[in-house]
Amino acid sequence: MTLSKPSLHVLQVLPALNSGGVERGTVEFANELVLRGHRSTVMSNGGQLVKELENNGSTHLLVPVHKKSLTSLLQVRRVRHILNELKPDVIHVRSRAPAWIIWLAWRKLPKENRPRLVSTFHGMYSVNKYSAIMAKAEHCIAISNCVQDYMLTNYEIPPSKITRIYRGLDPKSFNSNACNPQWRASLLQEYPELENKKIILMPGRLSRWKGQEAFIKMMHLLIQIRPDCHGVIVGSAEPQKEHYQSELLSLTSSLGLENNISFMGHRSDIQAFYGFADVTCHMSNKAEPFGRTVPEALACGCPVVAFDRGGASESLNAGFPKGLVEPDNIQAFAQRIAELLDTHPEFYLPKEFYLNQQVDNTLGVYEKLLSNEEQAN
C-alpha cells in the first residue's frame, strides 16, 4: 500500500542491528516504509539484520553510534555532515547512546533545515541525565501505557508531547497457521516426550527477571493437578550468564521434573511453538515495558496466562483478560492453566497490536510534526 501523501525520508538510529525486539522492530518498520513508497535509512554499528534490511529496500549507514562512552562524541561532527547530506524529513532515535550523538549534531543545524526529531521509549530507563536525552526529542513515543505513565512521572514531558503506540507484530509471521504438520512431526521426532502432552510454553531468554524459576516451580504444582502437562522452555542464556541455565537444570532435577520439562535453547521458529503449545506463560518478576510474547502467542492462536503487571497486562487485558493472574502467585497461575485446559477459551488480538496499525500511527506522528512549523529548541 502506498500513501497518497508525499513520500518521506525517515532515518532510524539505534546502536546495532543484531537480535532483539528493538532491532527486529526497526527492520520491520523500515520494510513497511519502503512498501508504502517512503525512503528508509537506518544508522547503526551494523549486525546480522543489515542484509535483510538492505534486501528489502532500505539503506544502512555503518556508524559507531553504539558506545556508551564519551569517545562517542567524536562522531558528532561526522553525523552532522551525514545529516546535511541526507536531508531526511524525520530522524527517529531508538536508544540513548545514539540519541546523544544525533541530538548534539541536530541542534547545531540551521533551524529551517532541521529534520523533525522523534524518540521512542522502548523501556523504563533509569532516571538520570544520561537517559533524559530521550525526552529532548520534539515528540516521544511510548510503547505501552505503563511506559507512558513512567515518562510522565519521571521526566518533564508534557502529555501533548507523548503518543502511545504499541509495538506491532507482522501477521505474515505470527498467525494461526504458524505451526504446520511438517514442523510438528519434525519436533516430535526430535522430542518424543512431547507426544500426547498438553504443552505449556515458556518463551524468552534465560534471565532471572524473566521468571523461568517461577515457571519450573509452577510446573511442579501443575503436574500434580494435570499429569498430562509438559513444560517447554525456549530461550538461551545471555552471554557470560550460562551458569543460570545450570541453576535452572538443577532446580528442575531437585523437583523431580526431568521428564516433565524440556529445554529447547535458542530457536528461530518461536511462532511455530506458539501454534504448537496449549498455553503460553509470561512470568516476569517485574513489570516489562511491553512483553511481546503475549501478543505474539495470541496472534498464533495460543491462550496466555500472565502475571497482572506491566505491558504484558495491557495486551492480555485487551485480548484475553481471563489469562491474568495475581503477580507472583504461582499456585493461582497453575490453577488458571488447569482451568483453561478444560475449556476452549475465546480470545483475540486487537488491531492496535499489529504492524500495520503501528506504522499508521507512527506516520501520523511524523506528519503532524511536519505540518507544524514550530521547532523544538
Side-chain angles (χ1 to χ4, degrees), residues 99-174:
W100 273 105
I101 297 170
I102 288 293
W103 182 74
L104 290 169
W106 172 86
R107 71 172 183 164
K108 292 295 185 180
L109 297 173
K111 285 191 176 183
E112 63 273 15
N113 294 331
R114 284 180 188 168
R116 306 318 300 253
L117 184 59
V118 176
S119 70
T120 291
F121 277 67
H122 286 281
M124 290 175 277
Y125 305 125
S126 54
V127 182
N128 51 42
K129 289 184 178 179
Y130 174 69
S131 299
I133 188 62
M134 299 298 286
K136 288 185 177 291
E138 296 178 287
H139 199 86
C140 304
I141 293 172
I143 63 168
S144 63
N145 289 325
C146 70
V147 170
Q148 179 171 318
D149 292 343
Y150 184 87
M151 292 163 65
L152 291 169
T153 301
N154 294 285
Y155 295 94
E156 296 179 0
I157 309 177
S160 60
K161 191 179 164 182
I162 304 174
T163 300
R164 192 271 292 139
I165 303 176
Y166 288 122
R167 179 189 169 196
L169 55 84
D170 187 349
K172 295 192 295 292
S173 298
F174 298 95

Side-chain angles (χ1 to χ4, degrees), residues 145-339:
N145 289 325
C146 70
V147 170
Q148 179 171 318
D149 292 343
Y150 184 87
M151 292 163 65
L152 291 169
T153 301
N154 294 285
Y155 295 94
E156 296 179 0
I157 309 177
S160 60
K161 191 179 164 182
I162 304 174
T163 300
R164 192 271 292 139
I165 303 176
Y166 288 122
R167 179 189 169 196
L169 55 84
D170 187 349
K172 295 192 295 292
S173 298
F174 298 95
N175 56 66
S176 58
N177 297 317
C179 178
N180 61 56
Q182 293 81 7
W183 182 93
R184 180 186 294 266
S186 177
L187 184 75
L188 291 177
Q189 184 175 13
E190 186 176 0
Y191 298 95
E193 67 270 22
L194 306 182
E195 189 84 57
N196 299 319
K197 295 291 186 179
K198 296 292 185 183
I199 303 302
I200 314 302
L201 177 66
M202 181 65 177
R205 70 181 182 276
L206 302 186
S207 180
R208 292 192 188 280
W209 70 274
K210 283 288 189 178
Q212 284 90 6
E213 289 175 68
F215 175 77
I216 293 168
K217 293 174 182 177
M218 184 279 298
M219 284 300 302
H220 183 245
L221 298 175
L222 180 61
I223 292 295
Q224 297 173 43
I225 308 171
R226 291 290 302 256
D228 59 340
C229 288
H230 191 99
V232 172
I233 297 177
V234 176
S236 58
E238 298 173 313
Q240 285 80 52
K241 295 184 179 179
E242 289 82 359
H243 60 86
Y244 181 59
Q245 180 168 346
S246 298
E247 292 180 32
L248 295 175
L249 290 169
S250 295
L251 176 60
T252 301
S253 178
S254 69
L255 294 175
L257 297 174
E258 300 99 321
N259 297 323
N260 304 107
I261 296 178
S262 298
F263 288 78
M264 301 289 181
H266 172 73
R267 302 281 302 219
S268 59
D269 51 358
I270 186 61
Q271 60 268 46
F273 276 95
Y274 291 135
F276 179 67
D278 293 279
V279 176
T280 293
C281 300
H282 188 284
M283 304 185 75
S284 296
N285 56 34
K286 62 181 180 181
E288 281 203 54
F290 183 67
R292 64 184 175 87
T293 59
V294 174
E296 286 178 355
L298 293 178
C300 292
C302 184
V304 180
V305 177
F307 290 138
D308 189 2
R309 61 179 162 214
S313 177
E314 292 177 40
S315 51
L316 201 51
N317 231 324
F320 185 52
K322 288 183 180 179
L324 292 170
V325 174
E326 178 189 5
D328 304 316
N329 189 336
I330 63 172
Q331 178 72 56
F333 206 104
Q335 191 62 49
R336 186 63 49 85
I337 291 176
E339 293 168 2

Side-chain angles (χ1 to χ4, degrees), residues 74-90:
L74 297 174
Q75 298 298 323
V76 172
R77 180 176 294 182
R78 177 187 176 188
V79 168
R80 187 180 300 123
H81 176 74
I82 291 172
L83 297 181
N84 272 318
E85 290 289 317
L86 276 182
K87 294 181 171 53
D89 297 293
V90 177

Side-chain angles (χ1 to χ4, degrees), residues 35-75:
L35 287 173
R36 295 180 182 218
H38 299 292
R39 182 180 171 191
S40 167
T41 303
V42 176
M43 179 187 293
S44 83
N45 192 51
Q48 61 195 41
L49 294 176
V50 170
K51 185 176 181 180
E52 176 186 341
L53 178 84
E54 294 179 332
N55 286 344
N56 283 291
S58 291
T59 299
H60 180 259
L61 300 175
L62 182 64
V63 182
V65 292
H66 61 299
K67 295 180 181 178
K68 298 179 182 179
S69 166
L70 289 175
T71 59
S72 292
L73 300 181
L74 297 174
Q75 298 298 323

